Amino acid sequence: WTLDMIGASGFTWEIQHMLGHHPYTNVLDIDEEKKKAAGVDCPIGEKDQESDPDVFSSFPAMRMHPYHAAEWYHRYQHLYAPILFAFMTLAKVFLQDMEVATSKRLYHIDAQCRYGSALNVLRFWFMKALSVWYMIGLPCYFHGVFGGIGLFMIGHFTCGEVLATMFIVNHVIEGVSFGKKGESLGLKNEVEFRPTTVSGSTPMEQTRAEAEKANGGKLKEVPYNDWAAVQCQTSVNWSPGSWFWNHFSGGLSHQIEHHLFPQLPRHNLDKVKPMVEAFAKKHGIVYRSVPFTTALAEILTNFRSLAKDIVTLHPV
């Protein structure tokens, strides 16, 4: 209900974040992307829902996944990205929420599990109307139209900038891996199903070799496309251990632990971090932590790298 109280739909967030992003982090379904490029929109029941909407929903405005074709304007996306970030929450409240509630789908994901209920739909529209009344109507009444709308826009621009940065810094920065899947890839060898970085490398190859050497040549093999291993390869911690960032980000600074244990309270994420890091090192799984300032710089670096169409990805 807290999301609904600030004008966004908690139902839509559940569908995108919990059914799309968390299970399939940075993974793109190639078959679906090819159909979209050809103008084909097959029934929702025929869609493969194993794809991360967070890495393709901003395309073509921004290129956040190496599979997507690079356009000429993407070479400037590191410059205009912060401007687009500011519109994130406005787009969610007034565009995405409305589209999902009326179409009963979020891109490739069936939204009937939430919006198939008449009671949930009633709650959606009631909270939309109520939030517009007290977030726009009342401020306009007390401060005038320009003052009320101005406060509303400033609040959303600030919230959008902060939230978008907090989300993207975890998964679309330099060194983070991406994956792709789909029957059209035609790959049969399991070892080929691995996430790769924008430059085409597979960091887990190096961490696996280091772990094997440390264990005297003996290492229990963890598949590249193992779900937990994929979460580690596609996520990065930033400023872990900082009480301020852990509180301010709601635990997002411990992104790896958050993805592995999504229901773990944020005040416990820092407590399990040493165990997760030690386990990853022992089994040759990528585990990366960087300072927040480094992560911010690597966002822009990665956006510039993504502007170049130079990558061939291995599937997940």
Side-chain angles (χ1 to χ4, degrees):
W1 283 90
T2 51
L3 271 177
D4 295 86
M5 291 175 66
I6 60 173
S9 171
F11 295 141
T12 302
W13 177 252
E14 283 180 330
I15 294 166
Q16 173 159 347
H17 198 67
M18 300 178 191
L19 297 184
H21 172 64
H22 264 266
Y24 315 111
T25 312
N26 282 12
V27 175
L28 199 63
D29 178 35
I30 303 305
D31 294 340
E32 181 64 23
E33 292 301 302
K34 288 181 177 179
K35 291 176 182 178
K36 287 195 297 186
V40 177
D41 187 15
C42 58
I44 191 69
E46 298 178 11
K47 291 182 181 293
D48 186 333
Q49 300 189 33
E50 297 183 4
S51 195
D52 184 358
D54 284 5
V55 297
F56 70 74
S57 57
S58 58
F59 184 80
M62 292 194 62
R63 187 186 190 220
M64 291 193 183
H65 195 284
Y67 170 77
H68 288 136
E71 303 291 346
W72 65 267
Y73 51 84
H74 289 145
R75 71 184 66 176
Y76 306 110
Q77 65 179 8
H78 63 289
L79 299 176
Y80 65 72
I83 299 174
L84 291 185
F85 290 172
F87 288 89
M88 173 191 165
T89 53
L90 280 172
K92 172 173 173 50
V93 170
F94 292 109
L95 293 177
Q96 186 189 62
D97 283 352
M98 304 294 187
E99 181 181 349
V100 176
T102 54
S103 68
K104 305 293 190 296
R105 59 182 280 187
L106 174 69
Y107 309 116
H108 60 295
I109 305 175
D110 190 348
Q112 288 284 348
C113 57
R114 283 292 183 248
Y115 292 106
S117 166
L119 186 61
N120 286 348
V121 172
L122 178 63
R123 165 184 158 177
F124 172 86
W125 290 113
F126 173 76
M127 291 305 297
K128 282 292 183 185
L130 182 62
S131 62
V132 167
W133 174 71
Y134 68 73
M135 294 183 73
I136 299 179
L138 286 181
C140 286
Y141 176 78
F142 287 106
H143 301 287
V145 174
F146 291 107
I149 294 179
L151 288 171
F152 180 78
M153 297 298 288
I154 291 173
H156 263 292
F157 286 151
T158 303
C159 184
E161 191 71 42
V162 172
L163 282 179
T165 302
M166 291 293 166
F167 294 151
I168 292 174
V169 75
N170 300 308
H171 302 293
V172 193
I173 73 172
E174 191 175 5
V176 167
S177 296
F178 299 83
K180 65 180 181 179
K181 63 179 291 291
E183 294 181 2
S184 62
L185 294 169
L187 295 177
K188 298 180 180 179
N189 187 355
E190 186 71 14
V191 76
E192 296 181 8
F193 289 74
R194 64 186 70 175
T196 51
T197 65
V198 173
S199 62
S201 65
T202 303
M204 190 167 160
E205 291 179 348
Q206 179 179 348
T207 55
R208 178 181 285 184
E210 293 173 353
E212 188 173 5
K213 182 179 180 181
N215 286 280
K218 297 180 180 180
L219 181 68
K220 184 177 181 180
E221 185 171 317
V222 177
Y224 289 101
N225 69 330
D226 176 85
W227 178 83
V230 170
Q231 300 306 308
C232 294
Q233 294 172 83
T234 57
S235 305
V236 167
N237 285 352
W238 46 272
S239 297
S242 167
W243 67 266
F244 172 79
W245 285 119
N246 187 46
H247 178 74
F248 184 80
S249 69
L252 294 180
S253 58
H254 294 86
Q255 189 67 192
I256 296 174
E257 289 74 23
H258 168 65
H259 266 254
L260 293 174
F261 311 104
Q263 295 190 20
L264 191 68
R266 65 183 178 187
H267 59 271
N268 286 331
L269 293 173
D270 188 45
K271 297 177 182 178
V272 301
K273 177 188 177 296
M275 292 180 282
V276 173
E277 186 173 11
F279 183 89
K281 183 177 181 180
K282 178 181 177 181
H283 293 276
I285 302 171
V286 175
Y287 187 97
R288 187 163 179 254
S289 299
V290 297
F292 183 55
T293 51
T294 301
L296 287 178
E298 289 186 356
I299 290 178
L300 301 181
T301 302
N302 206 47
F303 281 163
R304 296 187 68 176
S305 298
L306 282 165
K308 304 172 183 177
D309 207 359
I310 59 174
V311 182
T312 300
L313 284 182
H314 292 287
V316 172

